[in-house]
Amino acid sequence: DSDSVCGDIDSCPYDALNDADSDFVCVQGRCFDSKEADVAGHGSCSTYAIGRSNAGQCQRDGVCELCGCSCSMECHLNDACPFDAEDDADSDGICGNEDSCRYDAENDFDNDDICGDQDSCRHDIHNDRDSDN
């Protein structure tokens, strides 16, 4: 990864920024899936990919390292938000370092410039102007 840290001591051997957000998940510049036909008695690595028969079973079957590509998301092998230690805390698909409402999945639904996690009336642009709750 050209970060001047030798591979035998590099905590993120494929991440030149070495886990920039310190969340213990590296950016995986490349991945590896074993070519074995049966990696853990349940099929090949491709069967562990999202939407396949063994999806969601990578950790249970202990194949996170053997099937690094197919198991990348489940085993947290690739940091989808390399500059956000909370990795999109509100699960809205916007990393926290770019999200104007880090803890509001609706991203200020009523456009009143108050994020939903702090807005007393999340869906009322006037925020209960008449005070009737």
Side-chain angles (χ1 to χ4, degrees):
D1 63 5
S2 303
D3 62 1
S4 299
V5 178
C6 295
D8 60 336
I9 59 170
D10 194 344
S11 62
C12 294
Y14 304 112
D15 181 355
L17 299 177
N18 290 314
D19 190 20
D21 60 5
S22 301
D23 63 354
F24 302 104
V25 181
C26 303
V27 172
Q28 187 175 337
R30 63 182 192 204
C31 59
F32 170 80
D33 270 355
S34 172
K35 301 290 182 215
E36 289 182 42
D38 193 352
V39 291
H42 302 287
S44 67
C45 285
S46 65
T47 66
Y48 289 92
I50 294 171
R52 301 293 305 273
S53 61
N54 287 319
Q57 306 304 317
C58 297
Q59 291 178 337
R60 180 199 73 184
D61 294 346
V63 298
C64 289
E65 288 186 32
L66 285 172
C67 303
C69 300
S70 296
C71 296
S72 166
M73 294 298 288
E74 178 189 341
C75 298
H76 308 289
L77 299 176
N78 191 25
D79 198 343
C81 295
F83 301 105
D84 174 13
E86 294 180 289
D87 292 323
D88 187 18
D90 62 4
S91 301
D92 63 355
I94 304 169
C95 296
N97 58 303
E98 299 173 358
D99 194 342
S100 60
C101 292
R102 295 177 65 115
Y103 304 107
D104 175 11
E106 295 181 305
N107 293 308
D108 188 21
F109 179 84
D110 61 4
N111 295 311
D112 63 357
D113 294 322
I114 303 171
C115 294
D117 60 309
Q118 298 176 11
D119 195 339
S120 61
C121 295
R122 301 172 66 106
H123 299 108
D124 178 3
I125 193 170
H126 302 293
N127 292 313
D128 193 27
R129 183 176 14 203
D130 63 2
S131 301
D132 66 353
N133 292 326

